[in-house]
Every structure is written in structure tokens, then in C-alpha cells.
Amino acid sequence: MSHGILQAIAIIFRTALGSCFILALLVLGFWLTLPTRRLPGLAAFPELARFPTPQQAKGAWQAAWDELRRLHLFLFFFVGLPTFVALALTTLGALYWLAGDRLPRHLPYSYPLFLLAGLAGRYAIIWPLRNRAARLLRTHLVRLGVPICQDCGY
């Protein structure tokens, strides 16, 4: 690890406020990527329109949500968080190198880079969850006898 990355980490963790801020971001990130328990709209999952009754669609979503919740926990800590940390440390190291060892003065310019790293971490979680939810809904439709392709949804 380069000296710039280590110094950037030390600057962030030097104060208790920085540590509390990072903990708050961790909790907020977990909450923002959690799959919704209520039934999503048809635009998000067109498979929901194929269910014979709204009660069956709601029951299928509840069953899918139970599995997605466990998958979310795994994806958050082992995919999304490492993606965010890797991108954030890389951008901080690059910013430190470009700033010529004057990072504390240039740290506010790195906030958009943190936002982009956060979005990358979020989509690293949301994309597999969405694909898994669609497949679970299609499997439920096949069990109900509705003709649907499990691979593509048609």
C-alpha cells in the first residue's frame, strides 16, 4: 500500500467525528440497499403482472423478499462494501498523489469521488438482488402453471 493511501486513511479516522460519520454512512448504505418489503410496481418487475390474482403476486413477493433479505446481508458486506472501499481508497490515493502531498487542503474535492464510489457499491448490491428477485418470481409463476420462460421472462 502506498504512503498516500495510508495517510488518507489516517486523516479520516483521526477524529471521533470521522469515525462516527463513517459508521453512519455504513448504516445508511445498508438501509438504502435493503430490498423493499412492500410490493414493488410493475415497472420494476413485469413478472408481477402475470400472476392470476394480486394476492398471489403479494404472496410470491413476500416469499422472494425473505430470501432476498438474507442475500442482501451477504452482498452488502462481501460485494458492495469492498467495492466502495477499493474505489474510495484508490481515488483518495490518486488525489493525494495528484495534490502533491497536500491532501488535507484538497480533501473536499474528493467528495464527488466518494459519491461515485458509493453509487458503484450500491449498484454492485442492487443488480444481483434485482436479478434474483425476478428469477424467484418466475419460479413461483411456473409453480402456479403460468407459462413463462425462467431465463428471460417471456
Side-chain angles (χ1 to χ4, degrees):
M1 224 183 216
S2 75
H3 176 65
I5 293 174
L6 291 176
Q7 189 168 2
I9 293 171
I11 289 170
I12 291 172
F13 284 105
R14 191 169 292 160
T15 65
L17 181 62
S19 299
C20 290
F21 180 70
I22 288 174
L23 183 62
L25 283 180
L26 185 69
V27 171
L28 181 67
F30 187 81
W31 179 75
L32 286 175
T33 58
L34 193 64
T36 180
R37 187 166 178 83
R38 61 186 159 86
L39 192 65
L42 295 178
F45 294 101
E47 293 86 357
L48 291 171
R50 308 271 313 260
F51 282 93
T53 66
Q55 290 80 15
Q56 288 176 333
K58 189 172 184 176
W61 179 253
Q62 293 301 324
W65 186 83
D66 287 338
E67 185 170 328
L68 291 176
R69 192 177 48 168
R70 290 187 297 271
L71 180 62
H72 171 259
L73 191 62
F74 173 79
L75 287 173
F76 182 79
F77 287 108
F78 294 109
V79 176
L81 198 58
T83 301
F84 169 76
V85 168
L87 286 174
L89 290 181
T90 303
T91 55
L92 265 180
L95 186 66
Y96 185 78
W97 179 72
L98 289 172
D101 298 338
R102 296 182 306 269
L103 186 60
R105 194 176 72 194
H106 296 288
L107 193 60
Y109 299 117
S110 68
Y111 294 145
L113 299 175
F114 277 123
L115 180 64
L116 290 176
L119 287 175
R122 182 179 188 272
Y123 284 109
I125 298 168
I126 296 294
W127 186 50
L129 283 176
R130 196 236 172 268
N131 291 340
R132 182 67 182 152
R135 182 164 295 270
L136 288 170
L137 290 173
R138 290 181 205 140
T139 303
H140 204 294
L141 281 169
V142 167
R143 275 190 261 144
L144 289 174
V146 177
I148 188 168
C149 176
Q150 284 190 340
D151 293 328
C152 65
Y154 290 107

